Amino acid sequence: MLHALDAITAIRQGDETAAKPHSWLMKLVSAEERIVNLERITSIGQLAAANPVLDYVERTLKILDSLPVSYWIKELLEEVLMWAETAKGGTMRDRLRWQQSGVNLFLHNIGSAQLYERHIRDTGGVMTPHEEMVHTLILTHGLVGQHIRGEVPFEENLPLLQLVEQGQLTADELIRLLIPLNHCIVGAVSEELWHSVQEEVTALIRRLATGTQPNMWTYEDRLRRLRTASIARGEDFDRQLSQIRQQTDLTHALHGFQNMTLWYVEAALQDYSLEEFMKVLLLALHPKKLYREDQGLERQQEEVNPGSVSHLSFEPLMNDMYYDYQGVKKLNVYKKRMIEQYLRQMDWNTCLHGPATVNPHLSHRIERKPELPDTVFFTFEFSRAAEKLIEFCIEAEKSPLYEKAVLLLFDLFGLRRDAYDRFHNEESYLNDMNSTGDYKKVILDYITGEVVLDIGPGGGVLLDLMEEQLPHVRPVGIDISSNVIEALEKRKRLEHKPWEVLKGDALRLREYVEPGSVDTVIFSSIIHELYSYIEKDGFRFNRATVEAALFSAYEVLRPGGRIIIRDGIMTEPVDTMRRIRFREADGLEWLLRYASDFKGRAIVYEQLAQDEVRLPVNDAMEFLYTYTWGDEAYVHEVQEQFGYFTPSQYEECIRKTLGEEAIIRVQQHYLQEGYAEALADRIVFMDEEGQPVKLPDSTCLYVIEKPAHT
């Protein structure tokens, strides 16, 4: 086993003295700051109790130890890997001292090479040829991979070629060194990643060793590499870049971009659209203000010389874009939505020439540190009020206060109050929606014509069902949630789906599709959400919202077209009483909490015993809909009223809104499969005499047809 691994193993086994003979290990073991590419981890919370730098170095050394390479290569690369991450180590005091003495702690390959050089100088004086090779390999550590990712120009690797030109290595020896070194560097992140890039890395190393430079990137080549992860998730790069080109001269706007080194750009910006990514890049390349960390002073544009900047770092933005949610790294979608709004308000000319969008709670910040005159750092800066409100949203994610917090955030940034996004658990919500496909298949039997609008398509389950079983249909999903549209657009591109998606308002469909051009409009478990979340005439839970949704759909139907509704239903007669006996110790607490938090209507109940209550049948069912989903979904389900009409009220609403001419082809209601099974071990549902009875119908299916001739 490598000597370095022996020392690390001793540390792991509790021998605190094992690091003392090794300057590199002392630096790694004493690391107090957690410097890590957040793109590569799953939990931020776990970093507090971990040493990710030491862990990574150990993984690189283990890979090296397993490789069948010559002894001299293994010995040389061991020393490189020992030192290559040392600029991420040290105590806070050490780091301050290093920084003040000129060590570059922000460009870690440079800083680590400087620390190695100082170590050699302090212990032996002038570097030997062996130590010069080690120094060069540390200085260029990881740059081959970063070039492939589009972050580093090829020229940054040329110090490696000098080892050949100066006679320290042959071209073949350099190749034999660099391939296993990059295997260790990349494989320690992921062996799967190494296998995916091994061929390209090897070809690049051979070019480098023989002095054959690859063709210079066009800006399009580089952008494509920087967007690799986004393209893999379905981004239509070519089409979107073409649209941007039509709006601004990118050749001029990206001047100087080709020779600049970018740090953490993919980790910070891969979740943004290409247009947003490009706007951020232009803002960073054309600063109007530059902040000095030491003095907090603003510099005007004429004092900024773009030619003096070699490195552009997005590390501060990356660190600000994620938080830990239940042990999992989560994108701070609250901040992302506000940044998207900020960028949406900027046109391309503003990005290039200013003035910046005026927002008292958000601005972009470009900073230069006094010890790094060739490096600028880009991030977005939120006001203290906005930061506190975002923190409150995160803390309130499992509380009924959550919706209020989100609406406050919307108001602060001028977003529409009805643009309801689930934010922190949208992904799991969409997965849940996709799992309901079997329940929704019944809708397919009533679809007519070719053009079908699916209002609130969720994860796209109905769109997929139509694609699979009704190939003649052209499905279009319409949703007001940015999260939903983003997810569906990525799925569409990645899986080559034929359906379409539009961001739009269900209450104003004529603004997105031509009236009289649609054959079928589907509301699958969505009208109750419109009813619950959208304000009409100043308040929610308003029958007028349902009327507006029906009228909007009817208006875009062609004669003979249909509206299909699958949603919640209430029981008649409404004065029927039921009893619930809880089988879980906290069941009554759930009801008390629900009755306090639910705003759709007053939930009335009479407590008969410590574990039993009596209440109207529809109040009982409304509570049980939320109780079924459990604690994780409570914060959202308590905001929604699933049963909003009885059958007779539904028919009355249809007649009032659409007129007597509207034909109700189907009017069914039934208990949705799954509710009885989910509640069987949690409650006993009884009549007033205490006899167990079945749960009442939960779900309705209406098919409304527009007459062929009016």
Side-chain angles (χ1 to χ4, degrees):
M1 189 162 68
L2 299 175
H3 296 306
L5 283 174
D6 286 335
I8 293 175
T9 300
I11 289 289
R12 300 289 195 200
Q13 292 175 347
D15 184 356
E16 297 180 2
T17 65
K20 289 184 178 179
H22 309 289
S23 177
W24 63 274
L25 188 52
M26 286 289 290
K27 291 175 173 59
L28 297 181
V29 169
S30 63
E32 292 178 348
E33 188 173 350
R34 299 297 181 253
I35 301 171
V36 63
N37 188 335
L38 297 182
E39 182 184 1
R40 301 300 185 191
I41 67 168
T42 58
S43 172
I44 295 175
Q46 292 175 0
L47 292 179
N51 187 329
V53 178
L54 180 62
D55 294 344
Y56 172 76
V57 171
E58 184 179 24
R59 292 196 301 272
T60 65
L61 289 166
K62 284 182 175 179
I63 293 173
L64 176 63
D65 195 41
S66 69
L67 294 179
V69 296
S70 302
Y71 176 78
W72 74 270
I73 291 177
K74 189 164 289 192
E75 182 182 42
L76 182 64
L77 295 187
E78 179 182 14
E79 193 168 359
V80 172
L81 295 173
M82 285 159 37
W83 282 91
E85 300 287 331
T86 49
K88 298 178 181 179
T91 65
M92 295 299 186
R93 175 177 284 187
D94 289 336
R95 295 181 65 78
L96 180 61
R97 177 165 47 82
W98 295 343
Q99 190 172 327
Q100 289 173 341
S101 64
V103 177
N104 191 330
L105 297 181
F106 299 95
L107 308 181
H108 306 121
N109 59 320
I110 296 174
S112 296
Q114 290 172 324
L115 289 172
Y116 176 76
E117 184 178 8
R118 290 185 179 197
H119 167 72
I120 297 301
R121 187 177 65 227
D122 293 343
T123 57
V126 180
M127 282 197 291
T128 65
H130 168 89
E131 290 162 346
E132 287 178 356
M133 278 192 285
V134 172
H135 180 268
T136 300
L137 290 167
I138 296 171
L139 184 66
T140 55
H141 178 269
L143 297 188
V144 169
Q146 286 176 275
H147 174 74
I148 289 172
R149 286 162 60 97
E151 297 170 338
V152 172
F154 180 78
E155 290 72 22
E156 294 291 322
N157 288 284
L158 291 182
L160 294 166
L161 178 60
Q162 293 173 11
L163 295 175
V164 176
E165 294 174 341
Q166 294 169 3
Q168 293 174 273
L169 292 170
T170 66
D172 182 63
E173 287 172 334
L174 182 61
I175 293 169
R176 289 167 56 203
L177 267 175
L178 292 182
I179 291 176
L181 175 59
N182 280 274
H183 183 173
C184 295
I185 293 168
V186 179
V189 174
S190 160
E191 278 290 345
E192 182 181 358
L193 178 62
W194 166 246
H195 292 309
S196 71
V197 300
Q198 181 178 358
E199 185 176 339
E200 189 173 5
V201 166
T202 301
L204 189 65
I205 288 171
R206 293 186 184 281
R207 280 178 169 270
L208 178 65
T210 57
T212 307
Q213 292 203 29
N215 295 330
M216 184 174 289
W217 280 330
T218 65
Y219 74 77
E220 182 177 334
D221 293 334
R222 189 172 194 188
L223 290 173
R224 189 185 302 277
R225 288 180 178 271
L226 289 170
R227 299 297 290 176
T228 298
S230 301
I231 292 170
R233 294 198 305 271
E235 178 174 275
D236 190 347
F237 176 85
D238 294 313
R239 180 181 64 82
Q240 293 179 29
L241 186 64
S242 176
Q243 291 174 345
I244 294 170
R245 279 201 196 101
Q246 294 172 15
Q247 300 172 60
T248 190
D249 181 359
L250 286 182
T251 303
H252 168 72
L254 294 174
H255 179 72
F257 167 62
Q258 297 300 85
N259 300 319
M260 189 175 290
T261 297
L262 306 177
W263 297 87
Y264 299 103
V265 60
E266 189 168 14
L269 295 170
Q270 65 177 328
D271 290 297
Y272 290 89
S273 70
L274 180 63
E275 178 176 326
E276 291 157 355
F277 173 91
M278 291 299 300
K279 286 183 176 180
V280 168
L281 194 56
L282 297 191
L283 289 171
L285 293 173
H286 301 272
K288 311 304 174 295
K289 296 178 181 179
L290 196 64
Y291 292 84
R292 288 287 294 256
E293 185 185 60
D294 56 336
Q295 301 172 24
L297 300 176
E298 294 183 9
R299 287 186 172 182
Q300 299 302 315
Q301 185 179 2
E302 59 268 23
E303 296 182 70
V304 180
N305 177 12
S308 68
V309 177
S310 302
H311 306 280
L312 172 58
S313 174
F314 292 92
E315 185 177 10
L317 178 59
M318 175 193 72
N319 290 333
D320 208 32
M321 287 306 299
Y322 297 94
Y323 66 98
D324 204 69
Y325 175 72
Q326 297 183 349
V328 178
K329 180 192 72 176
K330 282 290 189 180
L331 173 70
N332 194 324
V333 75
Y334 308 97
K335 288 189 173 181
K336 181 173 181 280
R337 290 289 174 240
M338 304 313 128
I339 291 170
E340 288 170 341
Q341 170 80 348
Y342 179 82
L343 294 171
R344 206 160 33 239
Q345 293 171 342
M346 284 188 176
D347 59 25
W348 297 103
N349 187 62
T350 301
C351 293
L352 290 169
H353 307 294
T357 301
V358 177
N359 188 309
H361 298 291
L362 178 60
S363 61
H364 65 279
R365 183 179 182 90
I366 305 169
E367 184 175 273
R368 175 181 281 164
K369 301 177 187 299
E371 68 275 14
L372 298 172
D374 64 345
T375 306
V376 295
F377 298 81
F378 182 96
T379 192
F380 288 95
E381 190 171 55
F382 288 81
S383 70
R384 292 188 65 182
E387 287 280 4
K388 292 295 184 184
L389 187 50
I390 289 169
E391 289 176 20
F392 180 54
C393 286
I394 293 172
E395 289 299 318
E397 283 175 350
K398 296 188 90 174
S399 158
L401 292 172
Y402 177 68
E403 189 214 12
K404 295 179 181 178
V406 170
L407 292 179
L408 283 172
L409 195 61
F410 278 26
D411 286 344
L412 194 66
F413 285 89
L415 293 170
R416 288 179 50 157
R417 290 172 63 88
D418 59 355
Y420 183 79
D421 282 327
R422 282 171 171 78
F423 284 110
H424 74 292
N425 70 342
E426 184 72 27
E427 183 178 340
S428 61
Y429 166 74
L430 295 180
N431 288 336
D432 286 343
M433 293 303 100
N434 280 347
S435 70
T436 64
D438 290 343
Y439 303 155
K440 297 184 177 185
K441 283 183 180 179
V442 63
I443 292 172
L444 302 184
D445 295 336
Y446 301 100
I447 290 174
T448 188
E450 296 181 2
V451 180
V452 180
L453 302 188
D454 181 13
I455 309 301
V461 60
L462 256 180
L463 299 175
D464 290 340
L465 286 171
M466 285 186 275
E467 172 202 350
E468 294 163 8
Q469 300 188 27
L470 301 174
H472 67 284
V473 162
R474 182 165 71 86
V476 181
I478 294 185
D479 205 294
I480 202 165
S481 165
S482 299
N483 294 17
V484 170
I485 295 300
E486 277 184 16
L488 288 173
E489 285 181 338
K490 287 177 181 177
R491 272 200 63 213
K492 173 180 168 64
R493 289 189 292 270
L494 195 61
E495 301 174 24
H496 307 292
K497 294 292 184 179
W499 36 254
E500 303 171 35
V501 289
L502 293 173
K503 188 174 188 296
D505 187 341
L507 306 190
R508 294 195 290 271
L509 291 176
R510 67 173 300 146
E511 296 180 11
Y512 315 101
V513 295
E514 186 72 24
S517 67
V518 175
D519 296 297
T520 304
V521 179
I522 299 171
F523 293 100
S524 179
S525 199
I526 194 66
I527 289 185
H528 80 272
E529 292 199 2
L530 302 177
Y531 176 79
S532 301
Y533 293 119
I534 295 181
E535 289 188 0
K536 195 73 174 169
D537 304 323
F539 62 97
R540 301 184 305 153
F541 305 104
N542 190 341
R543 174 177 173 146
T545 304
V546 181
E547 294 170 354
L550 292 176
F551 182 81
S552 173
Y554 201 72
E555 194 175 25
V556 299
L557 284 181
R558 60 168 47 104
R562 289 177 173 178
I563 299 171
I564 303 174
I565 300 168
R566 174 189 168 275
D567 215 330
I569 197 71
M570 295 204 301
T571 293
E572 292 176 319
V574 295
D575 58 358
T576 302
M577 302 299 290
R578 287 292 180 257
R579 290 161 65 173
I580 296 175
R581 181 183 305 133
F582 293 102
R583 288 178 164 168
E584 296 177 321
D586 63 348
L588 185 59
E589 293 178 19
W590 264 81
L591 177 59
L592 297 176
R593 178 187 177 194
Y594 180 83
S596 174
D597 294 339
F598 181 62
K599 305 304 179 187
R601 63 174 184 267
I603 300 296
V604 179
Y605 64 92
E606 175 188 358
Q607 186 172 343
L608 303 178
Q610 190 167 354
D611 61 352
E612 189 171 328
V613 293
R614 175 178 179 271
L615 68 174
V617 62
N618 289 313
D619 288 356
M621 284 303 292
E622 199 61 53
F623 161 68
L624 290 175
Y625 296 138
T626 296
Y627 189 58
T628 303
W629 284 94
D631 190 62
E632 176 68 19
Y634 178 84
V635 63
H636 302 300
E637 298 301 324
V638 75
Q639 309 293 338
E640 301 177 6
Q641 182 170 325
F642 187 59
Y644 47 94
F645 287 158
T646 63
S648 60
Q649 289 170 340
Y650 229 127
E651 183 171 0
E652 177 191 345
C653 178
I654 292 168
R655 294 298 177 208
K656 175 187 174 185
T657 307
L658 307 182
E660 294 296 327
E661 66 176 33
I663 305 167
I664 301 178
R665 291 290 185 193
V666 177
Q667 184 176 4
Q668 300 175 357
H669 39 90
Y670 50 90
L671 177 63
Q672 182 65 63
E673 182 182 346
Y675 278 120
E677 294 79 1
L679 291 168
D681 296 329
R682 304 179 70 190
I683 66 158
V684 179
F685 195 74
M686 303 172 288
D687 62 19
E688 287 197 82
E689 283 69 46
Q691 296 301 310
V693 293
K694 292 182 179 180
L695 294 172
D697 292 343
S698 62
T699 307
C700 68
L701 179 68
Y702 281 85
V703 179
I704 307 163
E705 190 171 298
K706 192 173 188 176
H709 303 286
T710 59

